[in-house]
Amino acid sequence: MNFFGTIINTLTLVLLIILLVSFVLLSLYYGLFYLRIAIYKGKKYPKNTKKPGVSVVLTVRNESEALRDNLVYLLEQDYPDFEVIVIDHVSKDYTKFILKTYKESYPNLKVVEFLQDVNMFKNKKFPLSIGIKSAQNDIILLTECTCVPKSFTWISEMMENYRPDTDFVMGYSGVKSAKGLLNTFIRYDNLAYTASSFGFALLGNPYTACGKNLAYRKSFFFQKGGFIKHYHIPNGDDDIFVNENATRNNVSVCLTNDSYVLSEPKTTFKAWCQQKAKRMSTQIFYPIGDKILLTIYPLCVLLFYGSMAAIVATNITAESPLCLLTYVLTGVLVLKLVWQIVCCHKLEHKLEGGKVAYFAPLFEIYFVVMNTIMYISALKGKSKRWKQ
């Protein structure tokens, strides 16, 4: 049977249309979200000669080793007017003593200490709000104690993106490279998350941002009510606040090399899954429009591979040999994989994400399944909380 005779079959024709539509959408996604970020040069603002005061804010809890090793990189920033505020949230380790030692050498270090959880708040949103309130500067730059700025001009690079109409500046948070499959998983997942969050921001829909490298105005924070609307949600002090208040006009994206921060990766699969589950758990509180947009990409991945497998399964018979259809399927698959790897390679080069591009097609399928399972689990968890 020839090729045209094969596609006359209604089912095969429908599956081919699904395959080609999903292929086009995925190709657009890789181009708009991976390649666009890779070649993004940033907006050309006039040089900001006036350096606004900045308050770097981070919350810690029983992370004395990370503080000991990393806090100095924040305190030694090359910037004329900044303070570092560390909120010690009920730590039971040596955090207090490490902060005391640092404070003796750095007068720009401010410590806000919580001796116990108050008002039934068991997460960091309330302590973080108090830390922001204690800041002497209007611009708040958030990070974490497990993060290290790539450069001592980190603050300067982030502040170059601030203008009178800017409320948020999104910075990139990478993951330190290490040996092992788990680290490769983590770095690819971080690249995929960055592609989504920064890609949508550049398209005018900043639905999320990472609190490891995020700046906003103190006045704006309290004008919008801070975290009051979602104190009952354990996570999302960065994610949900940005989702509720960021617009296409008040967000600036900073992707200069010296604006990056690098964080320590999790060392066990269980710890990493718990970290991912926290991030996924906030997505169930997004508005319906964002949920639909975030569904398009994983749905296209499932439709692409599912329709291809179905075409093979429904045509691999003696009466209906694959013939030229095999070459069409192979050609589409090769084009998709090559374009995906090229775009991912460009992105990882831009963000120094390590060599993960060649594994991208396999990791993509794995994470679509994994993220779907985590999202469904988060929905079940939400249902249980509301019933209590």
Side-chain angles (χ1 to χ4, degrees), residues 144-383:
E144 295 182 1
C145 66
T146 57
C147 297
V148 176
K150 189 181 174 186
S151 166
F152 286 105
T153 61
W154 166 59
I155 298 179
S156 293
E157 292 291 325
M158 292 290 286
M159 291 308 103
E160 281 298 319
N161 289 267
Y162 254 109
R163 291 300 179 268
D165 59 345
T166 303
D167 292 313
F168 294 96
V169 176
M170 294 171 54
Y172 170 63
S173 172
V175 178
K176 292 181 180 180
S177 180
K179 294 181 179 180
L181 181 61
L182 176 61
N183 184 262
T184 306
F185 267 112
I186 294 173
R187 284 185 284 113
Y188 172 81
D189 185 45
N190 189 65
L191 278 178
Y193 168 77
T194 301
S196 177
S197 57
F198 280 75
F200 274 112
L202 292 176
L203 289 174
N205 182 36
Y207 74 94
T208 187
C210 179
K212 294 178 180 180
N213 196 4
L214 173 67
Y216 49 70
R217 299 181 186 275
K218 174 183 176 180
S219 55
F220 179 82
F221 176 79
F222 286 107
Q223 176 191 342
K224 295 299 182 179
F227 306 130
I228 292 175
K229 294 180 182 178
H230 46 91
Y231 267 133
H232 63 286
I233 304 172
N235 306 299
D237 48 278
D238 47 5
D239 187 11
I240 299 178
F241 181 72
V242 170
N243 185 266
E244 289 180 340
N245 299 295
T247 68
R248 66 184 304 127
N249 298 317
N250 71 349
V251 172
S252 179
V253 170
C254 184
L255 283 172
T256 57
N257 193 265
D258 287 338
S259 70
Y260 299 168
V261 300
L262 296 177
S263 61
E264 292 288 345
K266 298 297 182 182
T267 55
T268 67
F269 186 78
K270 180 179 179 181
W272 173 54
C273 285
Q274 290 174 341
Q275 184 184 56
K276 271 187 65 67
K278 288 180 180 179
R279 190 173 73 196
M280 295 291 296
S281 68
T282 60
Q283 294 185 8
I284 61 178
F285 300 99
Y286 288 177
I288 186 65
D290 288 339
K291 290 179 180 178
I292 292 173
L293 285 175
L294 293 176
T295 301
I296 294 175
Y297 165 63
L299 181 61
C300 286
V301 174
L302 292 174
L303 289 176
F304 179 83
Y305 289 106
S307 60
M308 182 170 289
I311 290 172
V312 174
T314 55
N315 288 277
I316 193 165
T317 62
E319 294 78 15
S320 180
L322 289 176
C323 301
L324 291 177
L325 191 57
T326 303
Y327 297 103
V328 173
L329 296 179
T330 302
V332 171
L333 179 61
V334 170
L335 284 175
K336 187 264 186 192
L337 297 182
V338 170
W339 179 238
Q340 179 183 8
I341 291 172
V342 168
C343 292
C344 190
H345 174 72
K346 295 289 186 180
L347 180 64
E348 72 178 11
H349 179 73
K350 166 81 172 184
L351 301 180
E352 301 183 356
K355 297 180 180 180
V356 299
Y358 295 106
F359 302 100
L362 293 176
F363 287 173
E364 177 183 63
I365 299 172
Y366 173 80
F367 278 107
V368 164
V369 175
M370 181 183 187
N371 291 344
T372 301
I373 294 173
M374 283 189 167
Y375 185 78
I376 294 173
S377 299
L379 284 174
K380 291 180 178 179
K382 178 186 176 184
S383 176

